[in-house]
Amino acid sequence: MQLRLISWFFITLNLMEYIGTQHASRVRRQGRMHPNVSQGCQGGCATCSDYNGCLSCKPRLFFVLERIGMKQIGVCLSSCPSGYFGTRYPEINKCTKCKADCDTCFTKNFCTKCKSGFYLHNGKCLENCPEGLEPNNHTMECTSIVHCEPSEWSPWSSCTKKGKTCGFKRGNETRVREIVQHPSAQGNPCPATSENRKCIVQRKRCQKEGKGKKNRDEKGKRPNKEESRETRQENKGRESRRQNREQRENKNKMQPKKRKAQDKQQNPVPISTVH
C-alpha cells in the first residue's frame, strides 16, 4: 500500500514538471517572435513592438508594412496609401500593393491609374493601345478614334465678280459648310469647308448712283397697289379740285388784261400835230 502511494506521488510530480517545462518554452517562443510586445501602443495600433512597430490595428483601420531600408515597420492607417488597395477580413484589414505598372488600383487585377509610359484600358495598364483605339496623352487612357464630321453644304451664293452682281456675264459663286466634330489625333482629317465654281448670268448694266436714286424716288412716288379703292378716288377728287382752282386763278388774272385791251380799242389816244 505504501509503495503504491509513493509511486503515485512520483508520477504526479513528474507530470507537474512536464507542464511547467511546456509553459516556459511557449513563453520563450512568444518572446522570440514578438520581443517587447506592448499593449499601450499609439497611432491606431492594437498591439505593437519596439522593433516591428504595429502588430495589429484597432477596428476599421488598415494594416500596412512600410519599408525603411532593410527593415519593415507595421503602420495602422484610416485608408491605404497610393499604390495600395485595401481588403477587409474578419481578423484584420490590410493594404496590399498594386502591380508594378499601376499607380492606383481598386483590386490587384483592376487598375484605376497607370504609371508614366502606360495607358489605362479596362482596368489594365498597356504600353500600346489595342487596334481601333488611340492613346490619349492627356488622360493617359486608350480612347476611341474620332473622325472629322462636317455639316451639310449651304446653298450656292449669288453669281458675283469682283464683289459686283452686274456688268459682267461670267462670274463665280460660293458655298460653305461648318465642322461639327473635330477629329482626334489618328482620326480622318477634315475636308474643305468652302467651294467655288464658275457661273454664267444674263449680262445687265450697272445703274449709276444718281439715276438709281432718281428711279427709287419715282418708284416711291407711285401709288401703292394695295391702296383701297376709296383712297384712290379721294386722291383723284383732290387732284381735280386743285386743277379747277388753278384754272379759276388763271382766268381771274387774265380778265384785267382783257379789259384794258378793250378800253384802248374803244377810246383811242389822240395824236397831236406839230405846226
Side-chain angles (χ1 to χ4, degrees), residues 234-250:
E234 184 179 353
N235 293 335
K236 289 181 180 180
R238 190 183 298 112
E239 183 67 21
S240 63
R241 288 193 295 271
R242 185 181 63 79
Q243 292 176 359
N244 293 334
R245 185 169 58 254
E246 290 178 354
Q247 290 176 0
R248 288 196 299 271
E249 290 177 354
N250 294 332

Side-chain angles (χ1 to χ4, degrees), residues 2-271:
Q2 291 179 353
L3 293 174
R4 187 177 295 177
L5 291 174
I6 293 170
S7 61
W8 278 108
F9 173 77
F10 283 110
I11 292 172
T12 304
L13 182 62
N14 291 331
L15 181 62
M16 292 177 64
E17 289 179 356
Y18 176 77
I19 293 173
T21 303
Q22 293 294 326
H23 179 71
S25 63
R26 189 181 300 112
V27 171
R28 285 195 299 270
R29 284 197 302 271
Q30 289 179 356
R32 287 195 301 269
M33 292 174 62
H34 306 294
N36 301 324
V37 175
S38 175
Q39 297 294 329
C41 302
Q42 296 180 359
C45 298
T47 58
C48 60
S49 70
D50 295 336
Y51 183 79
N52 293 324
C54 293
L55 302 177
S56 62
C57 299
K58 293 179 181 180
R60 303 186 66 82
L61 297 181
F62 289 93
F63 177 80
V64 60
L65 291 174
E66 292 184 352
R67 181 176 294 277
I68 301 176
M70 299 298 295
K71 183 179 178 181
Q72 285 187 335
I73 300 296
V75 181
C76 294
L77 303 173
S78 58
S79 61
C80 294
S82 179
Y84 290 80
F85 66 95
T87 307
R88 296 186 182 274
Y89 297 98
E91 61 278 4
I92 189 173
N93 303 326
K94 65 177 184 179
C95 296
T96 307
K97 193 172 181 61
C98 300
K99 289 184 176 181
D101 55 4
C102 188
D103 195 15
T104 59
C105 58
F106 184 72
T107 63
K108 187 176 182 179
N109 297 320
F110 194 92
C111 188
T112 56
K113 183 180 179 182
C114 298
K115 290 185 177 180
S116 179
F118 295 90
Y119 298 95
L120 183 65
H121 177 63
N122 294 336
K124 296 182 179 180
C125 295
L126 308 175
E127 293 185 7
N128 299 310
C129 292
E131 186 178 358
L133 301 176
E134 64 179 1
N136 188 324
N137 293 323
H138 180 68
T139 61
M140 298 306 295
E141 297 179 358
C142 294
T143 56
S144 300
I145 298 176
V146 179
H147 301 292
C148 182
E149 183 180 352
S151 64
E152 296 293 334
W153 285 106
S154 67
W156 287 101
S157 65
S158 302
C159 191
T160 60
K161 184 176 183 180
K162 295 182 179 180
K164 296 182 179 181
T165 58
C166 58
F168 64 92
K169 184 177 181 180
R170 298 178 183 274
N172 294 285
E173 55 186 3
T174 307
R175 65 176 183 176
V176 296
R177 58 182 173 182
E178 297 179 352
I179 300 300
V180 178
Q181 177 65 59
H182 290 276
S184 59
Q186 297 183 8
N188 295 334
C190 292
T193 56
S194 63
E195 284 186 353
N196 296 325
R197 69 178 182 182
K198 301 291 183 179
C199 56
I200 300 176
V201 296
Q202 184 177 1
R203 186 168 184 173
K204 61 180 178 179
R205 292 183 178 181
C206 296
Q207 296 180 351
K208 295 182 179 180
E209 185 177 357
K211 186 176 180 180
K213 184 177 180 181
K214 183 178 179 181
N215 292 337
R216 287 194 297 271
D217 294 340
E218 291 178 354
K219 185 177 180 180
K221 293 180 181 179
R222 294 175 184 174
N224 191 354
K225 293 182 180 181
E226 295 181 357
E227 286 182 343
S228 61
R229 182 179 299 177
E230 292 79 5
T231 304
R232 291 196 296 271
Q233 291 179 355
E234 184 179 353
N235 293 335
K236 289 181 180 180
R238 190 183 298 112
E239 183 67 21
S240 63
R241 288 193 295 271
R242 185 181 63 79
Q243 292 176 359
N244 293 334
R245 185 169 58 254
E246 290 178 354
Q247 290 176 0
R248 288 196 299 271
E249 290 177 354
N250 294 332
K251 187 176 181 180
N252 292 334
K253 289 179 182 179
M254 295 296 296
Q255 283 180 358
K257 295 181 180 180
K258 289 181 179 181
R259 289 196 189 99
K260 289 181 181 180
Q262 291 177 359
D263 292 339
K264 288 180 180 181
Q265 291 177 0
Q266 293 177 2
N267 301 314
V269 179
I271 301 173

